[in-house]
Amino acid sequence: MKKSLLSALLVSATLGAGAVTPLWLRDVRISPDGSTIAFTYKGDIYTVPAAGGQARQLTTQGSYESEPVWSPDGKKIAFASDREGGTDIFIMDVNGGPATRLTFNSAAEIPQGFTPDGKAVIYSASIQDAPSALLFPSAWMTELYSVPVSGGRPRQILSTPAEAVNYLPDGKSFIYVDRKGGEDQWRKHHTSSVTREIWKYDAATGRHSNITNHPGEDRSPVVTPDGKTMYFLSERDGGTFNVYSMDLSDPSAIKALTDFKTHPVRFLSRGADGTLAFTYDGEIY
């Protein structure tokens, strides 16, 4: 296990190595097979080999594109775009070409991933709370939805905020990040009653369980295919955001995998081959 973790950290690529000014690459997502990284740069979607190399621009609209997510087979990328006015979800081939619009609501819709079967895109948007909800309606208190990749009517999954969704082996339950307030997501060293935490949703029982239970920020969970291990970003141990691992059968078993001191690690993702991808100081590792 130790060897595989080291391999996951050492098999990395840095874009713009030696640059004086960081490129501030964002929304980093590694492909399911760990071979390619999708990211956002200046409002367009790009891909680059995980081993390093020349980046390829996939979108060329004058609009703002962001938040790329991979289909389970690695053949499609869904992303957010305001090319039609509001922020909607589009899907396109990983090699580029025409993009198909999937959502049409006036609310901002942000993709969080795909369902395990690849038939639908999961996204967050503030559209309609359940009648039983006690939440005060607000644009930052979103709900979780799915929409078929072939187009069609969206379906609400949860009426409470759920971001960075990672499905578990049963294909219905998932790990997610909550959102309890309007706090700026880029704020550093934030500790309050609205810090983001990581939760597990059990589809069979409808129960939500807090699995980080930490007064600071916990973000960007990624779960191994067997559902046994979770990697995530956290500001615990008195430092900046770093990568940690957790045994999901024992949430107290947490290990630090990186020890950056100055800047926060952002945008963690993981390929099925064990390769982790993230940004540090605006560059991809």
Side-chain angles (χ1 to χ4, degrees), residues 20-103:
V20 175
T21 302
L23 294 175
W24 296 115
L25 308 174
R26 302 164 61 91
D27 306 331
V28 169
R29 293 290 186 99
I30 195 167
S31 62
D33 65 1
S35 67
T36 308
I37 294 172
F39 64 93
T40 300
Y41 177 62
K42 291 186 176 181
D44 277 307
I45 307 296
Y46 291 75
T47 59
V48 67
Q54 184 173 352
R56 179 180 183 181
Q57 186 173 352
L58 298 186
T59 61
T60 57
Q61 301 281 333
S63 50
Y64 187 84
E65 277 71 49
S66 63
E67 306 286 349
V69 295
W70 293 85
S71 63
D73 62 8
K75 295 181 179 180
K76 299 287 185 180
I77 290 178
F79 59 95
S81 173
D82 63 1
R83 63 183 63 184
E84 298 292 342
T87 300
D88 294 294
I89 295 174
F90 290 75
I91 189 169
M92 69 186 307
D93 188 270
V94 69
N95 294 314
T100 301
R101 186 179 181 183
L102 296 182
T103 62

Side-chain angles (χ1 to χ4, degrees), residues 184-200:
D184 185 349
Q185 64 174 323
W186 309 116
R187 180 180 173 185
K188 302 176 184 178
H189 311 302
H190 169 216
T191 301
S192 78
S193 60
V194 298
T195 52
R196 290 167 175 81
E197 297 180 288
I198 300 173
W199 294 69
K200 175 184 176 181

Side-chain angles (χ1 to χ4, degrees), residues 15 31 76 108 127 211 231 236 267 275:
L15 299 183
S31 62
K76 299 287 185 180
I127 298 174
I211 60 176
Y231 302 93
R236 60 190 64 221
F267 307 115
T275 304

Side-chain angles (χ1 to χ4, degrees), residues 80-145:
S81 173
D82 63 1
R83 63 183 63 184
E84 298 292 342
T87 300
D88 294 294
I89 295 174
F90 290 75
I91 189 169
M92 69 186 307
D93 188 270
V94 69
N95 294 314
T100 301
R101 186 179 181 183
L102 296 182
T103 62
F104 296 85
N105 197 279
S106 59
E109 294 142 322
I110 305 298
Q112 303 297 327
F114 280 74
T115 53
D117 60 10
K119 294 182 178 181
V121 176
I122 305 300
Y123 66 95
S124 59
S126 180
I127 298 174
Q128 178 67 62
D129 286 321
S132 58
L134 299 178
L135 297 177
F136 185 82
S138 174
W140 46 261
M141 296 296 280
T142 59
E143 305 88 44
L144 187 67
Y145 297 87

Side-chain angles (χ1 to χ4, degrees), residues 158-233:
L158 293 177
S159 63
T160 52
E163 302 173 345
V165 172
N166 274 243
Y167 277 91
L168 295 171
D170 68 2
K172 298 178 180 179
S173 304
F174 49 81
I175 302 295
Y176 70 93
V177 175
D178 69 353
R179 189 175 185 186
K180 299 181 287 289
E183 184 61 51
D184 185 349
Q185 64 174 323
W186 309 116
R187 180 180 173 185
K188 302 176 184 178
H189 311 302
H190 169 216
T191 301
S192 78
S193 60
V194 298
T195 52
R196 290 167 175 81
E197 297 180 288
I198 300 173
W199 294 69
K200 175 184 176 181
Y201 170 67
D202 187 325
T205 64
R207 181 181 179 184
H208 298 256
S209 304
N210 187 331
I211 60 176
T212 48
N213 193 27
H214 167 239
E217 293 276 355
D218 295 300
R219 308 267 192 87
S220 304
V222 289
V223 181
T224 54
D226 60 10
K228 294 181 178 180
T229 304
M230 179 180 76
Y231 302 93
F232 64 104
L233 302 180

